Amino acid sequence: MDRAGEAPLDFGDEPPGPTETAPLRLIKVLRPRSFDRCPICGDAATTEEHVPPQRLGGTKMTRTCDRCNHGFGSLVEADLIDWYDGALTMPSFEADTVRGKRQTGRLLVRWSPNRQFVLLPEGRVDPAICEILAAGDVTLEVSPPNENRWRLALLKSMYLAVCLNAGIPEGEPADRIRAELMAVRNAKRKADVPVSAIAHGLTVLRHWGDPITEESVMLAEIQLETGPLPGVLLAGRVFVSLSSTGGEAMPAPTGRLTHEVRVGTSVKGTVASVRPEPPPQRTHRNQAG
């Protein structure tokens, strides 16, 4: 982020501190492939499906039924987008100087090279929030992305990538994966989404910076001390293993978080740019698989 006419404020989405790294090998580009039946539930495939979700940079890669396509969006893929964007949702601000709480859109967490962070609000901001921040001592409540739900969204993308590569799989473990995905689709609300040991057992790695590739989905593998681990690379940034340790207990879901925040002096200026830019929208021509 730059302030016009002043020294730049350089904020990125990579958190400070040590990170784990693993060598990555790209194996195969996966091309669009459609099926007569939905790869998840078996009903007629009637709608075009993005793999991964479009907000992550995915493109139309296959077809699913309308219910499987749209049911995952509000139930689990919203948490995936928040995790990917580094966003905190439903934030509320409170201070003694303003009566009641004030809410705004998502807060994007961004970091500077010297480990300072900034919270960038999306959309319009209630003017009363500026009064609250000016008070100095602020109570901030936020909801972090739900790990079980964003992992289930990645499980769906990984499973569809498998279908793109070799067709709809039969037998185990595909039947168990489909059963867990169907349980998500049939949930009436987010709170009803079941905990998934399969999703929790996936190895998920996030690449920071520019995408490794412009392809929506690729077969890939990472090299671990125990040997190569096959998986898929989504939108050039997110690696998801094809196998799951499974059976492990999921950590308790994180609810609302409350922070007592000390706000410093304000910085005024015109924002010239914000990094990273949203992913470009790409299209593929349909190809027979």
Side-chain angles (χ1 to χ4, degrees):
M1 182 167 65
D2 296 326
R3 289 177 297 171
E6 300 183 37
L9 291 175
D10 186 15
F11 292 103
D13 56 354
E14 181 176 3
T19 58
E20 296 182 7
T21 60
L24 174 73
R25 184 170 75 92
L26 302 180
I27 299 174
K28 178 183 177 181
V29 176
L30 299 184
R31 299 301 183 188
R33 180 174 185 170
S34 295
F35 306 96
D36 293 334
R37 59 188 176 97
C38 175
I40 297 174
C41 70
D43 291 346
T46 56
T47 60
E48 295 181 311
E49 177 87 39
H50 290 79
V51 184
Q54 188 175 19
R55 286 281 300 275
L56 263 68
T59 57
K60 296 175 181 177
M61 297 294 291
T62 189
R63 295 175 69 84
T64 56
C65 71
D66 182 77
R67 190 173 176 187
C68 285
N69 191 328
H70 297 104
F72 284 83
S74 59
L75 289 171
V76 296
E77 288 177 356
D79 283 273
L80 175 60
I81 300 303
D82 292 335
W83 169 79
Y84 182 79
D85 289 344
L88 303 172
T89 60
M90 296 185 291
S92 68
F93 298 83
E94 186 177 14
D96 294 337
T97 55
V98 177
R99 185 176 180 180
K101 299 179 180 181
R102 295 293 187 273
Q103 297 182 335
T104 185
R106 298 192 311 168
L107 295 177
L108 303 180
V109 182
R110 297 295 181 261
W111 300 88
S112 70
N114 61 352
R115 301 192 177 193
Q116 292 181 324
F117 74 92
V118 63
L119 300 177
L120 299 176
E122 286 189 328
R124 299 183 60 183
V125 176
D126 186 339
I129 291 179
C130 296
E131 296 182 41
I132 292 174
L133 295 177
D137 293 321
V138 177
T139 300
L140 172 64
E141 291 185 12
V142 294
S143 293
N146 181 281
E147 182 177 359
N148 178 59
R149 293 197 292 261
W150 63 253
R151 283 182 170 271
L152 277 164
L154 288 178
L155 177 65
K156 176 191 174 185
S157 288
M158 181 274 281
Y159 168 75
L160 291 178
V162 170
C163 297
L164 292 173
N165 182 51
I168 302 175
E170 302 295 340
E172 292 292 340
D175 289 343
R176 287 202 304 129
I177 292 176
R178 281 190 288 265
E180 298 219 0
L181 294 178
M182 285 290 292
V184 174
R185 192 202 72 169
N186 294 334
K188 294 183 179 180
R189 53 181 184 156
K190 286 186 174 184
D192 298 329
V193 172
V195 173
S196 171
I198 294 178
H200 181 61
L202 295 173
T203 297
V204 178
L205 298 178
R206 164 72 187 270
H207 170 71
W208 305 100
D210 295 332
I212 297 172
T213 173
E214 293 185 355
E215 301 295 339
S216 292
V217 192
M218 290 193 68
L219 292 182
E221 68 178 20
I222 57 173
Q223 187 65 41
L224 304 177
E225 292 182 358
T226 56
L229 179 64
V232 294
L233 184 65
L234 304 173
R237 283 197 176 104
V238 179
F239 174 88
V240 184
S241 64
L242 296 178
S243 60
S244 169
T245 58
E248 297 183 2
M250 277 285 296
T254 303
R256 295 282 286 174
L257 300 178
T258 301
H259 299 278
E260 299 299 326
V261 180
R262 171 63 61 87
V263 180
T265 58
S266 63
V267 176
K268 295 182 179 180
T270 301
V271 176
S273 63
V274 176
R275 300 181 302 102
E277 295 289 339
Q281 299 303 318
R282 302 183 298 272
T283 58
H284 286 302
R285 291 178 296 176
N286 290 330
Q287 301 178 14

